[in-house]
Amino acid sequence: IKIINRDVSRAGLVDILGSTQMTNIQGEEVQKLDEFANGVIYRAMDHGGHLCGMASEENEDILPIPSEYPKGKYVLLFDPLDGSSNIDVNVSIGTIFSILRRVTPEGTDGTKDDFFQPGYKQIAAGYAIYGPSAMLVYTAGRGVYGFTLDPSVGEFLLSHDNIRIPEHKGIYSVNEGNYNKWSEGMRNYIDWCKKDIPEENKKAYSLRYIGSMVADVHRTLLYGGVFLYPADVKSHKGKLRLLYEANPMSFIIEQAGGKATDGQGNRLLEIVPDGLHQRTPLVVGSPKNVDEVER
Ligand code: AHG
Ligand code: MN
Ligand code: MN
């Protein structure tokens, strides 16, 4: 994360902005920084003996551990660079990761069985946000902790102890340009967000949307509200990826006292994956806001 942050912070100065002119497994344009971050994480994690395999949003198949290195007890899943569309305009981007304990015999290469576990099995998850300062936020299932990088000493220092998400807040975060493609229920919810309803003591909510999931979820974690990426008529499963984005962020949000669902009453962390790159509709945030969406 420190290495990625260093290069992100010099992105306008060194030749790392822009596109590689290639598309990834998701059919999306690959930015140079995506590719760079992907390689940094793989190379940092391939030889430590902890992992028996990795999976990245940028690669079609499981990334094996090189044969010369020992195989460990865990698998690592990651979105090396989240918020790609914001790279070239100096807006916050991030990295998301998820760690599962293997279910296959020790000492061998990890297989799909190790990766296709529901999110509640995660033993740790976190994200880095490259913003005005760099932060690392993680959970190992006993609360959520945030660390801020102090560049003068080169260390992440505990700055956000035991983060708790607010119960409710009048903020919604969604790409509203997709409004006409949503279900009627989803459109009704967004219409309702904008209303003053004096008899219920409800004021119109604020809309905040950055377009980097890490940044939108980070704000939601600290200020409260709800972040949504619903299904629509074109993408029946929404846009965000279950293993690299939805699961790790849902684990963090739940550990901070929030909720994470698919908007149809299903807890995201209980979905049993059947594809490395499968997508899911997503509603995460303050518990009362998520209940409002569900209703
Ligand atoms: P990535 O950059 O890893 O492909 O992820 C982009 C995701 C996520 O960060 C963000 O919430 C969402 O795409 C934004 O999508 P829209 O541009 O459709 O709003
Ligand atoms: Mn992403
Ligand atoms: Mn990405």
Side-chain angles (χ1 to χ4, degrees):
I1 285 166
K2 288 176 189 169
I3 294 169
I4 297 169
N5 178 60
R6 181 195 62 199
D7 281 67
V8 164
S9 66
R10 296 190 304 168
L13 301 170
V14 293
D15 183 28
I16 204 163
L17 288 180
S19 166
T20 56
Q21 311 293 330
M22 313 260 274
T23 52
N24 69 8
I25 167 71
Q26 329 277 349
E28 299 155 345
E29 211 186 330
V30 176
Q31 304 287 317
K32 287 185 203 162
L33 261 180
D34 293 80
E35 188 105 299
F36 168 80
N38 201 39
V40 167
I41 296 174
Y42 182 75
R43 289 192 302 275
M45 300 307 299
D46 69 354
H47 56 277
H50 295 298
L51 303 179
C52 60
M54 294 183 242
S56 163
E57 180 195 84
E58 298 297 333
N59 300 95
E60 181 165 6
D61 295 317
I62 294 171
L63 298 167
I65 300 300
S67 53
E68 63 267 36
Y69 300 131
K71 313 287 176 293
K73 282 192 243 170
Y74 305 99
V75 292
L76 173 68
L77 303 91
F78 56 94
D79 177 355
L81 220 289
D82 173 71
S84 313
S85 67
N86 282 321
I87 295 173
D88 287 1
V89 288
N90 202 9
V91 170
S92 293
I93 51 183
T95 296
I96 312 173
F97 64 90
S98 162
I99 301 169
L100 292 161
R101 196 187 304 275
R102 72 181 308 169
V103 294
T104 52
E106 268 184 48
T108 56
D109 283 325
T111 73
K112 292 226 149 99
D113 292 338
D114 298 312
F115 293 89
F116 289 179
Q117 302 185 55
Y120 71 83
K121 298 263 190 185
Q122 290 170 103
I123 59 153
Y127 61 82
I129 179 165
Y130 314 109
S133 46
M135 283 190 69
L136 172 64
V137 176
Y138 90 102
T139 183
R142 295 180 184 200
V144 181
Y145 297 85
F147 299 79
T148 302
L149 182 65
D150 182 341
S152 68
V153 291
E155 288 292 348
F156 281 100
L157 306 179
L158 181 65
S159 51
H160 295 64
D161 195 16
N162 196 17
I163 299 172
R164 303 299 298 168
I165 192 170
E167 279 258 289
H168 183 264
K169 183 89 180 187
I171 299 177
Y172 71 106
S173 181
V174 69
N175 183 344
E176 212 173 325
N178 294 325
Y179 183 92
N180 285 317
K181 294 188 250 163
W182 293 335
S183 68
E184 193 187 352
M186 191 52 70
R187 292 198 306 264
N188 288 342
Y189 168 72
I190 298 296
D191 293 342
W192 176 84
C193 285
K194 299 177 191 182
K195 281 187 189 137
D196 279 324
I197 311 176
E199 51 281 15
E200 289 172 25
N201 210 5
K202 176 185 175 295
K203 295 222 160 59
Y205 288 0
S206 289
L207 167 62
R208 297 281 183 268
Y209 192 69
I210 295 165
S212 294
M213 184 195 199
V214 164
D216 283 312
V217 169
H218 186 66
R219 180 202 55 249
T220 304
L221 186 66
L222 297 182
Y223 284 178
V226 65
F227 170 73
L228 314 94
Y229 211 111
D232 63 48
V233 287
K234 269 189 22 212
S235 355
H236 295 285
K237 297 197 113 188
K239 174 177 184 188
L240 297 176
R241 286 135 285 214
L242 179 64
L243 296 184
Y244 316 112
E245 295 173 319
N247 274 346
M249 290 313 210
S250 299
F251 191 19
I252 290 169
I253 289 281
E254 283 197 2
Q255 280 291 315
K259 285 191 178 178
T261 75
D262 65 354
Q264 313 252 23
N266 304 302
R267 183 180 173 222
L268 287 175
L269 290 182
E270 286 175 24
I271 298 175
V272 181
D274 57 15
L276 274 182
H277 299 283
Q278 94 182 58
R279 296 168 193 261
T280 179
L282 168 141
V283 178
V284 299
S286 295
K288 288 192 174 153
N289 291 72
V290 174
D291 290 345
E292 288 169 353
V293 178
E294 291 284 347
R295 206 163 59 231

